[in-house]
Structure formats: structure tokens, C-alpha cells
Amino acid sequence: MARFPLPPGATIGILGGGQLGRMLAQAAARLGFDVVVLDPQDNSPAGRVARGQIVAPWDDPTALTVLGEVSDVVTFEFENVPAGAVERLAAAGAEVAPGPTALAIAQDRVDEKTYLNAVGAPTVPFAEIDCADDLAPAIARIGLPALLKTRREGYDGRGQVWIRDAAEAEAAFAAIGGRPAILEARAEFVRELSVIAARGRDGATAVYPLGHNTHAEGILRTTVAPAEVSDELDEMARAIAANILEGFDYVGVMGIELFELADGTLLVNEIAPRVHNTGHWTQDGCACDQFEQHIRAVAGWPLGPTAAHARVEMTNLLGAEAHDWPVIAAEPDARLHLYGKADARPGRKMGHVNRVKALG
Ligand code: AMP
């Protein structure tokens, strides 16, 4: 049984071998930990910087047993890891952080919004859609336009269709595969913001300054942080984050996506029970970035400081944009982070650049 705080030399298991796992592994190594990654893809971005990688499907019972046995604590970087796999690990006696509940709830958009509302985190009005017959009463209650999203496994804008006219509803449902869905009222947002928050094993919370995000075709392009927000808005975001984390008895870092409305209030769009793309700015804007913070939390260490010492504009490098690395590397204020992916497919997250400016 692991004893917390874990001492340097302990092993951290990570479910998922993508770029988030890679940057977690790099932070863990800096604190003296070893990392073992489980991912179905051989030679994954995280596996290549870890002590080892187990190559197996997420739900392979033998692989999960081995990961649990070699790790003092297991965490995850990929939110579509089957919650059942994490539950099995925890049931077998492995220390898992965050716990399986937050993962299971965040995987289902209806459960997620129901949870958020229950802990006092406001969202858009929504309705559960199980079959085409549910659409008309849902539209009558929520109004149009409304956004139809698959309940599960949608990300980066996939599995989502706008309904502007009731006559389009059935076609929209067919377009998302006729799968269980959620119908969401349109958020009339003026900005998309996000907050990265952490909770330690002792229940302490730490919240980073807000980021201001821009998306294109459903994919994050830039985060500027700290975002220019009023003290009231900052307080509101911190209170929302604290409620969400405490409700789960959460341990680790969570990304919380927010809509800022014209009246200065906030709605929660969605939560990710892991380190988050909109928190990459912390690598070059804060003394303790989100990756180290997550490792500290799951290892039972005290949380690190979250204040910003610089203003950062984070830009994702998608597909062939990563080929610009020689130009970016020559910029004096640019910090380049590449994920070691060979195949620069269009839209694929290959790296990011943090452009660092003085706080002003
Ligand atoms: P999601 O996959 O839920 O993060 O949605 C992707 C993007 O779609 C968000 O970043 C928003 O730009 C937009 N979006 C999602 N839900 C809504 C909504 N209810 N109202 C307006 N825009 C939305």
C-alpha cells in the first residue's frame, strides 16, 4: 500500500501515452519519480520519455494488473480511458487519482451537467435525448437554436450539430449517429475562458489565473493568460472550481471550460478530469506548471504556487504548422514544446508555442 507523500524514486503509472502524458512524465522525472505508461499505441509520445510503456488495450486485465503492481499511484491523461478500467484498478487495491467517479461523470455530458448543477456550478439549460421522440418536447422547453451533442465520446467539436429550425431536428439526430445525446441551449457567450484548478490529498485547493481561449473548427487555437477579468469574475471562477473539486473529493488537476456571458456571469461548458490544453501556458507563466501540480497532488505533496510571473500567449501547432519550428526557435520570447509525433496529419496536435511577455 502506498504511503503519502510518495518519496522520490516511487513510480507513477499513467493511463494514456499522448502529449499530456509526455509532459506529466517530464514533470514527474524532474521531481525524481519514475513513470510507466499504458497505451495501446507502441512508441507513444509519453512512452518515449518514460521508464517504460506497457503496450496493450485500455481494458486488458493483465496489463492493468501489471500497471497497478509496478505503480505507487496510477493517474490518467486521456479522458476516454474506460471508467471501468480505472474502477477495476481501484478495486484491485491500486491507488488511483483522480478517482474513477470524476472520470465516469465527465465522460457523459448529461451526468456532467447534472453533477455541475447539483454542486452549484451553472450551465446552459439542457435535455436528455434518448430517441428521436425526445426532440420535440426538448426543443419546446429549451428553445432554438440549440446544440445537439452525443452524450459520450465527443471532443474538439466532433459529434455536435446545431439545430436552428425544428424541421432539422431529426436529420441532426441522424447526423450524430442516432446515439444517446444531449440538447443544449445556445450559450450567448462573449468570451470562452477556462480555469485550471488542483486539489491535494489534504483537501487544499490551488487555482491558476483564468485563460482566454479561441477555437477554430472546434479545436483550441490560442490561450492568453492571465486573461483580463474583473476581480468579481475571478472570484466567481475560483468558487465554481472549488465546489466542483470538493464535490468529487478530487485529487489532481482539472480543466474547467467556461462561457463568459454579457452580464458578467459564468457558465460551465465542460470539465476535464486531467491536465488540460488551456493550461499549457503555465509551463512558461508560473513557477509550478499544471503538470508538476498534478504530480504533486497525486503523490501527496504540498501543492505549488499558482501565481503568474508572465503573460503568455499559447498557440497550438496543428499538423504542418509544426514544420515552422526553425522560425519559432529563433524568436527570442517563444518557448517551443514539441510532442515527438512523426506524422503531421492535418489538425493533429504536434506541439505548442508559448510566447512570453512581461505582466503589464
Ligand atoms: P465542447 O466540445 O462541448 O467543448 O464544444 C466545443 C465548442 O463548441 C465550445 O468551445 C464552444 O465554442 C462551442 N459550444 C459548445 N457548447 C455550446 C453551447 N451550449 N452554446 C454555444 N456554443 C457552444
Side-chain angles (χ1 to χ4, degrees), residues 109 147 149 160 184-185 187 189 192 215 257 269-270:
R109 292 184 190 276
L147 188 52
K149 303 179 179 176
Q160 308 192 0
E184 297 185 6
F189 60 83
E192 291 194 73
H215 296 83
E257 293 182 26
N269 173 29
E270 63 178 4

Side-chain angles (χ1 to χ4, degrees), residues 192-196 209-213 223 256-258 276 278-279:
E192 291 194 73
L193 303 171
S194 60
V195 63
I196 305 296
L210 286 159
H212 173 200
N213 307 316
T223 300
I256 303 171
E257 293 182 26
L258 302 163
H276 197 248
T278 67

Side-chain angles (χ1 to χ4, degrees), residues 14-342:
I14 303 179
L15 286 163
Q19 64 267 16
L20 300 177
R22 179 182 176 94
M23 292 183 276
L24 283 170
Q26 290 167 324
R30 206 172 51 238
L31 299 182
F33 295 113
D34 277 353
V35 167
V36 175
V37 169
L38 171 64
D39 193 282
Q41 189 84 44
D42 191 13
N43 210 18
S44 67
R48 290 216 304 284
V49 302
R51 187 184 82 203
Q53 180 181 337
I54 301 167
V55 182
W58 305 116
D59 48 2
D60 179 324
T62 313
L64 286 169
T65 304
V66 172
L67 184 71
E69 281 172 4
V70 301
S71 305
D72 295 285
V73 66
V74 177
T75 188
F76 44 87
E77 60 102 49
F78 176 58
E79 70 207 51
N80 289 324
V81 168
V86 177
E87 278 156 14
R88 210 167 315 133
L89 263 172
E95 290 283 351
V96 182
T101 316
L103 180 66
I105 287 181
Q107 285 177 348
D108 183 307
R109 292 184 190 276
V110 171
D111 293 349
E112 181 181 41
K113 286 199 165 55
T114 304
Y115 169 80
L116 289 168
N117 291 169
V119 296
T123 66
V124 289
F126 64 96
E128 184 178 334
I129 306 292
D130 292 324
C131 60
D133 288 347
D134 292 338
L135 287 163
I139 289 170
R141 184 158 68 76
I142 284 173
L144 292 175
L147 188 52
L148 187 69
K149 303 179 179 176
T150 53
R151 271 180 82 148
R152 305 177 68 85
E153 284 172 12
Y155 61 94
D156 286 347
R158 285 182 244 182
Q160 308 192 0
V161 184
W162 281 102
I163 301 177
R164 294 191 167 75
D165 187 305
E168 300 166 5
E170 286 210 21
F173 190 56
I176 62 159
R179 290 188 286 159
I182 184 171
L183 188 71
E184 297 185 6
R186 180 166 71 182
E188 303 294 344
F189 60 83
V190 291
R191 282 193 294 183
E192 291 194 73
L193 303 171
S194 60
V195 63
I196 305 296
R199 189 163 178 276
R201 288 191 181 272
D202 58 357
T205 55
V207 183
Y208 289 93
L210 286 159
H212 173 200
N213 307 316
T214 53
H215 296 83
E217 286 156 26
I219 302 179
L220 181 71
R221 293 307 327 226
T222 64
T223 300
V224 176
E228 285 175 28
V229 295
S230 66
D231 291 346
E232 291 77 21
L233 199 94
D234 194 61
E235 257 324 298
M236 225 183 287
R238 284 170 184 277
I240 287 172
N243 287 348
I244 295 171
L245 297 186
E246 263 148 43
F248 284 131
D249 194 18
Y250 195 80
V251 173
V253 163
M254 177 182 280
I256 303 171
E257 293 182 26
L258 302 163
F259 294 132
E260 179 191 5
L261 307 184
D263 66 2
T265 58
L266 293 171
L267 299 178
V268 179
N269 173 29
E270 63 178 4
I271 57 176
R274 54 169 172 77
V275 288
H276 197 248
N277 195 170
T278 67
H280 290 1
W281 71 274
T282 60
Q283 291 173 307
D284 298 298
C286 301
C288 175
D289 68 28
Q290 64 164 348
F291 302 100
E292 177 175 333
Q293 194 73 280
H294 186 75
I295 297 298
R296 282 172 172 253
V298 302
W301 286 28
L303 297 181
T306 52
H309 57 65
R311 188 173 156 80
V312 177
E313 180 175 325
M314 188 289 305
T315 304
N316 273 336
L317 299 173
L318 304 178
E321 289 166 6
H323 296 154
D324 288 341
W325 63 265
V327 179
I328 298 167
E331 284 179 43
D333 299 326
R335 304 278 296 148
L336 185 60
H337 301 260
L338 296 173
Y339 308 149
K341 297 180 183 175

